[in-house]
Amino acid sequence: MTENAKAPAQPRRKNIRWGVLTPTIVLGVLVAVYAVYWWTVAGEIKTRIETAALDNGRIETKWKELGVYGFPYRFTSSFTAPEVAAPRTPEQWRWQADEFSASFLPYDFNHVIFDVEGEQRLSFRDVTQKSAPRRDWRIKADAAWSSYVAEKGTPFGRLAIDVKKLDAKRENGDDTLTADRLQLHTRPAPLTIEGGAAPLMPGTPKPATAIDLALQGDNMVLPARLTPPALGNTAKLVILQARLRNVPATRAASPVEFARDWMAAGGTLAVSDLKVKWGPLDMDASGEVTLDEQGRPAGRLDAQIADYEGLVSALVKAGRIPQKNEKMALAGLGLISQFQGNKSGRVRVPVVMSKGKLYLGPVPVARLDPVY
């Protein structure tokens, strides 16, 4: 080797690009932490569902399979063949479905979305009948979902239910119930005496509140038992906006028990807007309704009715107005309409619910059965 020989060059060391690597490491750590959080919460959700005691154990639940899915965007509790029953209530109701799920976002546990797929089955005792026979219904819908948002300081949160293309049939009977769409929205009303939040009757065991509700049904075909003969079984449109006053803070699993508690608290339904297009009846109304001692609707609505001639004709055909009185009824309503200044042919009449009968003006048009 000569003195002029050069030593081999040392390889250049590459600088670590921390500006790129550091965010990648941090992101990886965050993803790992979130994954641990998600799976931990998912396990806790499943445990709580399996050990839950609803209404002090009066509501019984079971299912074929239960899983918690939705990583990483949401938590979805999915039930296969769920069944919920309340055998120790007056109705002894039981609900079953093919598939049911409840979903909420990882950052908002107060908002839950419920979804039902496949056929549903509802069974209950009809406590409006003396023998309380059991009714079994099979229910199908193109879509059925609901949303619930819990709110602090109120016993009830915000609820929304939307059912499209409902088709319900009673087993061992001819009753059917169909609708193009059913919608229900509820929310807590302001906690004021004017809003109906304060109990009106002394001795109410729990604080009462008020609930605003909106209900709409489109193109409904109703069971014969719920159909006044003069109106037929098809209701094109029913829209209700009302305030349910003096609702007791109860978690009762029974609609009957809830209705009784509501009556004991002096409950009323303040109807701000009711629109009904049902057979020959085209009506707008407002007023107040409650339940009498026998659990039948009672109260008064101030209504405006369009096409009263067609309605009178239907009442005559149904035998609610004697045929010999038809011309006199039409003339009387015509005079009332003119006196009220309604050039559109609408007439204002009271709708009264009293002693188990529904009156349109002075004419009884339907029987009112107890709701329990």
Side-chain angles (χ1 to χ4, degrees):
M1 182 179 294
T2 63
E3 294 180 358
N4 295 332
K6 294 183 179 179
Q10 296 292 330
R12 176 179 289 181
R13 298 181 60 183
K14 295 183 179 180
N15 294 327
I16 298 176
R17 305 182 68 179
W18 290 105
V20 175
L21 186 59
T22 300
T24 303
I25 295 174
V26 171
L27 180 60
V29 171
L30 291 176
V31 170
V33 170
Y34 178 77
V36 172
Y37 160 79
W38 194 97
W39 289 107
T40 301
V41 173
E44 181 67 18
I45 291 172
K46 187 173 182 179
T47 299
R48 292 197 178 192
I49 291 174
E50 293 173 338
T51 59
L54 303 178
D55 193 21
N56 297 319
R58 293 205 308 158
I59 297 181
E60 301 174 356
T61 60
K62 63 180 181 179
W63 50 83
K64 185 176 180 180
E65 294 181 5
L66 167 63
V68 181
Y69 311 103
F71 180 83
Y73 303 108
R74 64 183 63 86
F75 295 101
T76 297
S77 302
S78 179
F79 302 81
T80 300
E83 179 178 327
V84 184
R88 292 184 290 278
T89 61
E91 306 92 333
Q92 299 180 16
W93 59 265
R94 181 176 67 252
W95 173 83
Q96 300 166 292
D98 292 342
E99 299 284 344
F100 175 78
S101 66
S103 303
F104 53 86
L105 298 173
Y107 54 83
D108 188 359
F109 292 91
N110 292 321
H111 186 189
V112 187
I113 303 293
F114 303 99
D115 187 54
V116 183
E117 295 184 4
E119 185 181 65
Q120 303 175 58
R121 294 161 297 282
L122 179 63
S123 176
F124 59 92
R125 289 198 174 279
D126 186 353
V127 295
T128 64
Q129 305 294 311
K130 291 183 178 180
S131 59
R134 180 163 288 280
R135 309 295 191 191
D136 299 293
W137 286 77
R138 290 186 173 271
I139 305 167
K140 294 181 179 179
D142 284 1
W145 69 271
S146 64
S147 167
Y148 182 79
V149 181
E151 295 191 358
K152 292 182 179 180
T154 61
F156 305 96
R158 286 180 286 135
L159 173 68
I161 299 175
D162 194 351
V163 180
K164 297 178 181 178
K165 295 297 181 181
L166 173 71
D167 185 3
K169 292 181 173 61
R170 184 164 72 89
E171 297 181 6
N172 302 320
D174 297 329
D175 286 343
T176 62
L177 172 62
T178 65
D180 283 354
R181 191 173 186 183
L182 291 177
Q183 300 175 78
L184 172 66
H185 298 268
T186 71
R187 65 178 184 181
L191 296 177
T192 62
I193 294 179
E194 290 78 7
L200 298 182
M201 296 186 64
T204 302
K206 296 180 180 180
T209 186
I211 296 176
D212 288 335
L213 60 88
L215 172 69
Q216 179 167 335
D218 297 285
N219 294 323
M220 299 181 294
V221 177
L222 303 172
R225 183 183 164 197
L226 302 178
T227 301
L231 302 184
N233 66 345
T234 302
K236 183 179 180 180
L237 177 68
V238 176
I239 299 177
L240 171 68
Q241 294 184 8
R243 173 165 293 178
L244 199 63
R245 292 174 171 167
N246 299 300
V247 180
T250 176
R251 298 182 181 275
S254 164
V256 168
E257 293 172 350
F258 179 87
R260 290 172 179 168
D261 291 344
W262 179 59
M263 287 183 60
T268 59
L269 180 67
V271 179
S272 58
D273 188 15
L274 173 63
K275 297 181 184 296
V276 178
K277 293 185 178 181
W278 185 346
L281 178 62
D282 185 350
M283 179 182 74
D284 295 280
S286 62
E288 191 165 281
V289 180
T290 185
L291 299 176
D292 64 17
E293 294 179 353
Q294 298 183 31
R296 300 171 302 190
R300 174 189 169 111
L301 301 174
D302 294 320
Q304 286 195 22
I305 296 176
D307 186 23
Y308 59 84
E309 294 180 354
L311 180 59
V312 169
S313 177
L315 291 171
V316 170
K317 290 180 181 179
R320 296 296 179 179
I321 296 178
Q323 188 170 9
K324 64 180 181 179
N325 295 338
E326 180 177 3
K327 292 183 178 180
M328 183 173 62
L330 288 173
L333 289 173
L335 288 174
I336 292 174
S337 178
Q338 292 178 13
F339 178 77
Q340 293 171 349
N342 290 321
K343 298 181 180 180
S344 61
R346 302 179 73 89
V347 61
R348 293 196 300 270
V349 296
V351 176
V352 178
M353 290 152 277
S354 177
K355 297 181 180 180
K357 291 184 179 180
L358 175 67
Y359 293 87
L360 186 62
V363 181
V365 296
R367 185 183 69 183
L368 299 173
D369 293 325
V371 299
Y372 62 83

